[in-house]
Amino acid sequence: MLLDMQTLDSAGRGPLGSMASLFQKTRRSLASVGAAVLILLLAFDPFIQQIISYPTRLTAIHGGTDVATTKMLDYFAMGVNYDLVYSSGLWSDNDIVLSSSCSSGNCNWQKFQSSGMCSQCSDVTKSMDLECNLTANETSAGNFTQGSRYINVTCLLTPPQGKSTQFHVHSSYVALSPPVWTYETGGLSWHVFSAYDSYGLDLDQTKNQPFNGLGDPLMVIAYAEIGYNEDYIYSDFISGIKVDKATVCSLELCLLEYDVSVKNGTPDVVTSVLDYGQLLWRNNPRNSSFDTLCWKPTSGPPDITFENPLSDYTYVQLSPVEFAFCGISYETKLSPNLFVGSMFQHHTRGHTQESGNDTTGLDYSPDGDPNALRISSVGLDSIMSNVAKHMNKEALRLNGSDVHGDTFVTEVFVEVQWLWLILPTILVLSGTIFIAIVIIQNKKNGTSLWKSSVLAFFYHGLHEVDKDDSMTASVMEKKAEGLVVQLQESEDHGGLILKEKKDLM
């Protein structure tokens, strides 16, 4: 009976009683198991609530009219105003190349390849050749004590390969107190190379030797920043002229790989360059007196054939080698003034002859050609990257073919979190096993089922009740039928206690 009473006490007092039962010295193993089960039942409801969730997922739509499309190029040939495209790249920062159609706002495409235009840039500062000479038989600047003097210097700047450019540097000396020197620094941009020898830019090097260092470009632009070393300003003015930085950038045909997706209406385009390819010349199918410029991937065979023109209105020829084509538009040539210009900045320095030190200094804002100022502020590498992107965008708009992708819509799913079922399953199984063991044990001992009434609470909690600690549950039930209790003030400590009614009479 002791086992049944301990278990009954734990169950009657709830989880707190079960907790106390676990730390009783007289606890038995089976009663402890029941107390543990009761305590763990506190977590039953929270675990049950976590079993089922309703996540949203993107589901592909197969068929129907809601089709995801974007563009790719089999060949790069356009019939547009190239000067307009170049100017847009020079003055615009818009870098969106691919326009994708995705009505659901969530689409995905497999990676695909496309012809395109790329840019590459290289720092050639250390390789530039600078040669400067005085204009009009002037002597180099020296220390002047009276009067004024103007110095004009003509410089020739030559890159490692391609066309040179000429620029001028002006300086003046004014005999004030203290004397004042002025000099100029600046920047200049020019055409270094063109695959088409338009406007006498350079020889057609694709027929003789390729332009080294930047793949096989259609054209190359250079930009140089001209600085000055003030250590020479009062002694040998020409020696102070220097090249602070020089950059050459190319535009060249390439093979691109696009990884395109649209998520929640926002497009994400990752572009990789797979191959810069090679330019080559072939007989013009419409005029044998002239050659036509072609392009093929580097991986293509050395001897490559091209089929007849696509139509009567185009020189474009395709090849069995994928992405190889002829008929690169002659309009890709650069006009004389595009990307060409110079900018300058005036500097003023005062001088005290006695101390030999500068006493005043003033740097003015840059001035000059808009194109050169734009390149100076943004950087030639960014400019040429924008130009390539605008060329690709226009080519895709005019000659692009559709690439279809998968369209996704958001749907609600019912998901079962099976791990959250572990505790409820263990509790149900352990509770069932525990009840079965208690029933078998009570039947074996000939006792009635435990927790059949609240008699144990009354017989342990009543004050001075006439009870026998050894009476059985059946005797307790009979005695309880005639037992009347009432809350009454305690004579010992003044609190309310339950007393048998006979004590009150």
Side-chain angles (χ1 to χ4, degrees):
M1 191 63 184
L2 178 60
L3 168 65
D4 301 327
M5 290 303 295
Q6 286 180 339
T7 305
L8 178 62
D9 182 54
S10 297
R13 288 184 291 171
L16 293 178
S18 300
M19 186 69 72
S21 177
L22 287 175
F23 296 97
Q24 289 178 1
K25 294 182 180 181
T26 57
R27 67 182 186 276
R28 296 183 182 180
S29 59
L30 190 56
S32 299
V33 171
V37 170
L38 190 62
I39 293 171
L40 291 176
L41 278 173
L42 291 173
F44 188 86
D45 285 344
F47 271 72
I48 289 294
Q49 294 172 8
Q50 301 299 324
I51 293 174
I52 297 178
S53 60
Y54 302 92
T56 58
R57 296 178 181 175
L58 294 176
T59 304
I61 300 176
H62 300 286
T65 58
D66 191 6
V67 180
T69 58
T70 188
K71 297 287 186 179
M72 59 86 64
L73 285 173
D74 293 312
Y75 61 93
F76 195 97
M78 309 190 311
V80 299
N81 186 339
Y82 272 81
D83 287 351
L84 179 61
V85 175
Y86 291 144
S87 298
S88 298
L90 176 63
W91 294 101
S92 174
D93 295 326
N94 184 7
D95 60 353
I96 298 177
V97 177
L98 288 177
S99 58
S100 304
S101 174
C102 177
S103 58
S104 68
N106 292 283
C107 299
N108 192 32
W109 287 262
Q110 296 292 329
K111 291 182 179 180
F112 61 91
Q113 296 179 358
S114 173
S115 289
M117 192 71 72
C118 296
S119 68
Q120 289 194 87
C121 294
S122 178
D123 189 334
V124 293
T125 306
K126 296 181 179 180
S127 304
M128 298 297 289
D129 183 19
L130 178 64
E131 182 180 352
C132 296
N133 296 287
L134 289 173
T135 305
N137 297 322
E138 296 188 37
T139 59
S140 182
N143 292 318
F144 298 95
T145 58
Q146 61 183 358
S148 301
R149 186 68 177 272
Y150 296 93
I151 300 176
N152 296 319
V153 179
T154 300
C155 296
L156 184 66
L157 186 61
T158 305
Q161 189 178 6
K163 188 179 180 180
S164 303
T165 188
Q166 191 179 76
F167 65 95
H168 300 277
V169 178
H170 304 284
S171 178
S172 65
Y173 171 85
V174 181
L176 300 176
S177 180
V180 176
W181 271 104
T182 64
Y183 68 91
E184 292 177 353
T185 59
L188 59 150
S189 57
W190 74 101
H191 300 164
V192 172
F193 166 80
S194 175
Y196 290 103
D197 186 23
S198 64
Y199 302 99
L201 291 179
D202 206 279
L203 294 177
D204 184 358
Q205 297 190 34
T206 57
K207 292 185 178 180
N208 301 314
Q209 62 180 13
F211 193 94
N212 296 326
L214 290 172
D216 202 352
L218 283 171
M219 61 206 72
V220 180
I221 310 298
Y223 177 77
E225 296 178 358
I226 305 301
Y228 191 79
N229 186 347
E230 294 187 359
D231 292 340
Y232 296 92
I233 194 171
Y234 307 116
S235 56
D236 186 5
F237 180 80
I238 290 180
S239 298
I241 301 173
K242 62 176 183 174
V243 180
D244 284 339
K245 184 176 181 181
T247 305
V248 293
C249 292
S250 67
L251 285 176
E252 48 194 288
L253 290 164
C254 57
L255 181 61
L256 299 170
E257 182 180 72
Y258 290 107
D259 186 2
V260 185
S261 63
V262 179
K263 186 175 182 181
N264 297 327
T266 302
D268 181 22
V269 181
V270 178
T271 307
S272 304
V273 180
L274 300 180
D275 192 347
Y276 285 99
Q278 177 184 352
L279 293 174
L280 58 152
W281 292 88
R282 291 290 187 269
N283 291 330
N284 193 317
R286 300 194 185 282
N287 190 340
S288 58
S289 301
F290 299 94
D291 290 339
T292 182
L293 187 57
C294 308
W295 182 88
K296 74 178 185 69
T298 305
S299 57
D303 296 328
I304 188 169
T305 60
F306 295 92
E307 299 174 353
N308 293 328
L310 293 178
S311 69
D312 295 335
Y313 306 100
T314 179
Y315 290 93
V316 176
Q317 297 173 276
L318 300 183
S319 170
V321 177
E322 193 174 16
F323 298 109
F325 67 97
C326 285
I328 298 173
S329 175
Y330 184 77
E331 296 173 350
T332 57
K333 66 184 183 299
L334 291 170
S335 64
N337 298 323
L338 198 62
F339 300 110
V340 174
S342 61
M343 49 84 65
F344 56 89
Q345 185 176 16
H346 287 291
H347 306 270
T348 301
R349 297 292 181 265
H351 182 65
T352 301
Q353 293 183 1
E354 290 78 12
S355 63
N357 297 324
D358 291 333
T359 58
T360 61
L362 182 61
D363 298 331
Y364 296 87
S365 298
D367 194 7
D369 298 321
N371 289 359
L373 289 170
R374 170 70 174 173
I375 294 174
S376 174
S377 62
V378 178
L380 183 61
D381 51 350
S382 297
I383 293 293
M384 299 306 287
S385 177
N386 287 339
V387 169
K389 290 175 182 178
H390 277 78
M391 294 177 73
N392 289 332
K393 181 179 181 180
E394 191 67 9
L396 287 165
R397 185 183 69 85
L398 293 175
N399 303 315
S401 55
D402 289 341
V403 178
H404 298 293
D406 297 322
T407 304
F408 296 84
V409 294
T410 303
E411 292 187 358
V412 179
F413 286 78
V414 177
E415 186 177 75
V416 178
Q417 306 288 339
W418 296 105
L419 291 178
W420 289 96
L421 277 172
I422 295 177
L423 180 61
T425 302
I426 292 175
L427 288 177
V428 171
L429 291 177
S430 60
T432 303
I433 295 172
F434 179 73
I435 291 176
I437 293 175
V438 171
I439 292 174
I440 294 172
Q441 185 68 25
N442 285 346
K443 184 176 181 181
K444 181 179 178 180
N445 296 335
T447 58
S448 60
L449 292 176
W450 60 283
K451 202 177 180 182
S452 58
S453 67
V454 293
L455 291 176
F457 170 77
F458 282 112
Y459 274 82
H460 280 278
L462 289 177
H463 181 71
E464 296 180 355
V465 67
D466 183 14
K467 58 183 181 293
D468 184 0
D469 292 337
S470 63
M471 67 176 56
T472 62
S474 58
V475 175
M476 292 168 63
E477 290 177 356
K478 291 181 180 180
K479 189 175 180 76
E481 293 178 357
L483 185 64
V484 179
V485 295
Q486 185 177 7
L487 286 173
Q488 183 66 23
E489 184 178 355
S490 172
E491 297 174 357
D492 298 328
H493 49 74
L496 294 177
I497 59 175
L498 282 174
K499 287 188 177 182
E500 194 174 359
K501 193 175 181 179
K502 66 179 183 179
D503 294 337
L504 306 175
M505 296 179 179

